């Protein structure tokens, strides 16, 4: 089954590679239009399977179709990457890019549309001119099939060769078989650290290892400097970021570092209370709900920890905050936990650099500060280079949730945030993951497609 | 020992990251000047240890210093990779690049200068702002130490922090320990497939896998179309490319495909005779000499193979060509062999696409043709996309040896040519291997170094 689908993708690869930019753009715009047209049918299916609110899903569908159109427009852009050089004998060298070949994409559960079957990885691969074989998320079979049907129709209608898109379903064995399939040339994944690591290991075991672009776990630290403590908007804004979509965003703030002053404690308490008061909704899977509840139990048992938790309401998870002195930060207090929960750690500002030095790679790092406060600015100047070593995006006086899909965006970061910190899975540069350069030395114009 | 050197590199990383472009350029130009100044002392050491001709080594030293200057100039170029975008709330997003951190470089034996201790990988990493720990090639300890001494002095003189450059020596255990060392963030390697694979596997076993940029084995096929058979320059030009530097170049043509016509056979025979007549010189190591001699023995025993070999002269390897029908191409006839040897395979031109489809990844693929011959052009149009799937550089009517160090150059290719087909180890884009993007969202101007 997998073999057949992957072989069809391999057959489509050559024809897709020969397509011009305008043709690729048209195909991606056709996919976007088809998804938008079927919104009323699609959104309830996704909502039913994920527990996510329909309003959020309608926004996510807009993002998804906008993303497909933007990636399509990127396919239009010049594929000649670098200017001409001169090789021995005085002949010209021109570097172009070519598609890497069939790409395996693993649909994410937490963005069933924007990182699902027709999400950013699929759009990036198609924009690069690569056929795509997507594994649907096992918790969302109806969502996966509905999107796949819309996408298949749109691709066929736009004249894409059979095999341009294929869907597979199954468990871990299917995932590993897909990554091991000989024609597959690259992998796109958004999910857990364990899942991404398993795919990376499978790709490394191939006779011909292939790149795995995995976006995995991220703590997304928020560093609060003293000047920000008087800004009344932060407790609510941070609580919204922690609990929105039931805390199931890759960029959810997982750790907030506050000064160990009276004002710092007040902010920590206000944040904890705000988190506990937020209403949430059912998590994506029962396993995620159970993991969240178990984390609450373990957190409540930690020495030095003060846990503030909201009530249990139906099948929604209990939102909670864990307040600890930063000196107690270790183990899973420094790890990503899916769900509406946050760790608030307090420390003297002088200790911040030492704490930052212990943080692993993250997608984002946020600094809340008063730019007119000289002391805040001095501290920020010390912290920013250390945060840049550990994160793919630095947010100043904002929240890390809400990733703009634009040319300048970088959504990535050092391990364990991703397996490929030089790459991004959001924005137009995401296409670069699925093409590679070829230098043409002395080739007469017009001979290369 | 390794731990200490790597820790010093980690200490240097932060300061280097804060350096401005002009300062990095100055450091690289200082290294280039120091190497050029010590040429008369350095070249005889390298010649004695490698068996390579002094004239070639002087040329290689020029290339090496030119490369360091070019990479230095690249460091000057704007590091703001993408233009500004807009994130939620209307704030600006600006993507910059930051150095990836300490880089481990493995000096190659076949380019003791250009890919040695102060070669392209070292220069690329320094240009990116990364400290470098180089493992000297075990067969060239005096070369490694001499270059390391010059480089260390030049770096210290230019004000680089201690730990910017470190040298380690040893065998496979040292290589694996270096790749496993926690502060190392990326690996640059040029060498054998087995060596590159071992480093890649070691990097994948880390708790935090890191990228390995390995340039490994390459067959570098040359496809001769009928129109090129009347061009009298090819037998000599190809024989020079096969035997130059005793056949120890990464881009040496390893397979020449000729039409199975009388003219094709004549070209094959002329090439075989020219190869056998070339004088060579001692190979880089006794092990390489032995492997070459052993390949000659095995080739002579192959059914269907006609071997034309030159005489044994002192410690120089015997140059040879193996002529076979393309139908017999399999196993090690399709693998890279270091040394002055080439496989010449003959087939009907109609069979060329099927033969190309069996080739693994290569650094280069060459087409010899007559652009005014319609039949050649038709065949080329079919072959070029298939060759682009398999090679990082396509050469038209030339030889693949002689890699221009320029902005447009791409020196890479699909596995087994490299472990990272999206990257190049030659040219200015080589710097990109050692930096990664960071998006700055809403950050006030001037706060980030």
């Amino acid at each position: 089954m997998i073999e057949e689908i992957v072989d069809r993708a391999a057959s489509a690869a050559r024809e897709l590679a020969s397509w011009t930019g305008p043709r690729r753009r048209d195909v991606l715009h056709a996919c976007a239009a088809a998804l938008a047209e079927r919104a009323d049918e699609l959104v309830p299916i996704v909502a039913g399977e994920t527990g996510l609110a329909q309003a959020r899903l309608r926004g996510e569908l807009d993002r998804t179709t906008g993303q497909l159109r933007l990636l399509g427009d990127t396919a239009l852009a010049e594929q000649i990457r670098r200017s001409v050089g001169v090789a021995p004998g005085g002949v010209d060298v021109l570097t172009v890019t070519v598609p890497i070949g069939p790409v395996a994409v693993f649909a994410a559960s937490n963005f069933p549309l924007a990182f699902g079957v027709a999400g950013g990885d699929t759009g990036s691969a198609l924009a690069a001119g690569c056929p795509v074989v997507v594994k649907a998320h096992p918790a969302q079979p109806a969502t996966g099939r509905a999107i796949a049907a819309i996408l298949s129709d749109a691709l066929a209608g736009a004249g894409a060769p059979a095999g341009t898109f294929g869907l597979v379903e199954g468990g871990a064995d299917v995932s590993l078989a897909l990554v091991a399939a000989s024609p597959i040339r690259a992998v796109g994944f958004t999910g857990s650290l364990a899942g991404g690591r398993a795919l990376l290991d499978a790709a490394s075991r191939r006779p011909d290892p292939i790149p795995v672009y995995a976006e995995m776990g991220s703590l997304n630290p928020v560093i609060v400097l003293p000047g920000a403590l008087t800004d009344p908007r932060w407790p609510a804004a941070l609580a919204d970021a922690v609990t929105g979509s039931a805390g199931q965003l890759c960029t959810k703030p997982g750790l907030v570092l506050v000064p160990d002053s009276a004002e710092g404690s007040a902010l920590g308490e206000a944040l904890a209370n705000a988190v506990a008061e937020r209403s949430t909704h059912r998590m994506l899977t029962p396993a995620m709900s159970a993991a969240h509840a178990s984390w609450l139990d373990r957190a409540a048992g930690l020495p030095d920890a003060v846990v503030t938790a909201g009530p249990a309401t139906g099948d929604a998870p209990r939102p909670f905050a864990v307040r600890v002195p930063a000196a107690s930060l270790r183990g899973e207090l420094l790890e990503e936990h899916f769900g509406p929960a946050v760790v608030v750690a307090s420390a003297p500002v002088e200790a911040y650099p030492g704490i930052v030095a212990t943080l692993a790679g993250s997608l984002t790092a946020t600094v809340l500060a008063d730019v007119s406060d000289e002391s805040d600015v001095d501290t920020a100047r010390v912290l920013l280079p250390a945060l840049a070593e550990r994160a793919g995006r630095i947010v100043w006086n904002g929240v890390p949730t809400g990733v703009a899909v634009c040319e300048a965006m970088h959504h990535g970061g050092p391990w364990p945030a991703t397996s490929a910190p030089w790459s991004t899975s959001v924005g137009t540069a995401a296409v670069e993951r699925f093409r590679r350069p070829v230098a043409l030395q002395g080739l007469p114009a017009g001979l290369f497609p």
Side-chain angles (χ1 to χ4, degrees), chain A:
Chain A
M1 174 65 171
I2 284 190
E3 203 183 342
E4 198 182 304
I5 291 173
V6 168
D7 284 347
R8 275 206 298 269
S11 307
R14 184 74 57 81
E15 183 179 335
L16 273 186
S18 74
W19 278 25
T20 59
R23 204 153 172 205
R24 284 187 207 155
R25 178 204 51 192
D26 290 350
V27 161
L28 281 152
H29 279 250
C31 293
L35 285 167
E37 202 173 291
R38 309 277 283 276
D40 291 343
E41 171 190 334
L42 189 56
V43 165
I45 296 173
V46 186
E49 225 167 26
T50 62
L52 295 169
Q54 295 218 9
R56 127 111 204 227
L57 288 172
R58 288 201 175 261
E60 189 182 333
L61 185 61
D62 284 347
R63 174 182 163 172
T64 306
T65 55
Q67 186 165 260
L68 289 170
R69 282 188 292 264
L70 178 69
L71 291 166
D73 295 343
T74 303
L76 248 194
E78 193 54 85
Q79 285 175 52
I80 294 174
R81 199 177 73 151
R82 288 192 289 278
S83 56
V84 160
V86 178
V91 301
D92 289 344
V93 180
L94 186 75
T95 297
V96 299
T97 57
V98 299
I100 198 167
V103 172
V105 168
F106 291 81
S109 65
N110 66 335
F111 275 96
L113 298 167
F115 284 92
V117 170
D121 288 347
T122 298
S124 301
L126 291 173
C130 301
V132 186
V133 180
V134 184
K135 181 168 174 289
H137 196 280
Q140 300 166 2
T143 298
R145 286 173 209 153
I147 300 173
I150 295 170
L151 210 59
S152 296
D153 282 355
L155 287 167
T164 299
F165 168 82
L167 185 78
V168 299
E169 299 183 62
D173 54 330
V174 171
S175 300
L176 298 181
L178 181 56
V179 172
S182 166
I184 295 295
R185 297 285 100 212
V187 176
F189 169 85
T190 296
S192 70
L193 177 56
R197 175 92 212 197
L199 298 185
L200 185 65
D201 288 347
S204 304
R205 281 193 303 266
R206 288 172 59 113
D208 55 341
I210 55 173
V212 174
Y213 296 99
E215 196 257 71
M216 305 176 294
S218 184
L219 187 63
N220 303 304
V222 175
I223 316 293
V224 184
L225 301 189
L229 295 173
T230 52
D231 189 329
R233 68 186 150 148
W234 294 129
L238 288 171
D240 289 344
V242 167
T243 58
S245 296
Q248 300 171 115
L249 304 180
C250 312
T251 53
K252 181 200 80 169
L255 173 70
V256 178
L257 187 59
V258 298
D260 66 351
S261 60
E263 295 87 346
S265 298
L267 183 136
E269 191 179 340
L271 169 58
N273 290 334
V275 165
E277 283 162 13
R278 290 292 183 276
S279 62
T280 64
H281 55 70
R282 163 161 77 86
M283 290 186 71
L284 291 161
T285 65
M288 285 183 188
S289 281
H292 175 79
S294 160
W295 170 222
L296 172 55
D297 286 347
R298 291 195 306 284
L302 288 174
D304 306 330
V306 177
V307 172
T308 311
T313 320
D315 53 5
R318 296 178 66 189
F320 69 93
V322 187
R323 277 177 288 159
V324 290
S328 300
L329 282 177
R330 68 178 62 84
E332 59 179 343
L333 285 167
L334 289 170
E335 287 166 12
E336 179 187 49
H337 296 276
F338 244 44
V342 65
V343 172
V344 182
S346 59
V349 174
E350 310 81 71
Y352 278 19
I355 296 163
V356 166
T358 67
L359 300 178
S362 262
L363 294 168
T364 70
T366 299
V367 177
L368 305 183
D370 178 357
V371 76
S372 66
D373 178 325
E374 265 184 50
S375 169
D376 271 16
V377 168
D378 287 346
T379 308
R381 281 191 200 284
V382 172
L383 294 178
L384 286 168
L387 292 173
E389 284 175 25
R390 289 170 174 78
R393 178 163 53 106
I394 292 179
V395 179
W396 180 266
N397 279 344
V399 293
T401 48
V403 183
V405 180
C406 62
E407 208 180 319
M409 183 46 66
H410 181 72
H411 186 67
W415 186 279
T418 80
S419 60
W422 63 90
S423 71
T424 179
S425 57
V426 175
T428 53
V431 177
E432 289 171 25
R433 297 174 296 169
F434 303 123
R435 50 194 192 190
R436 64 179 180 83
V438 174
L440 306 177
Q441 182 171 323
L443 201 66
L447 259 189
F448 197 78

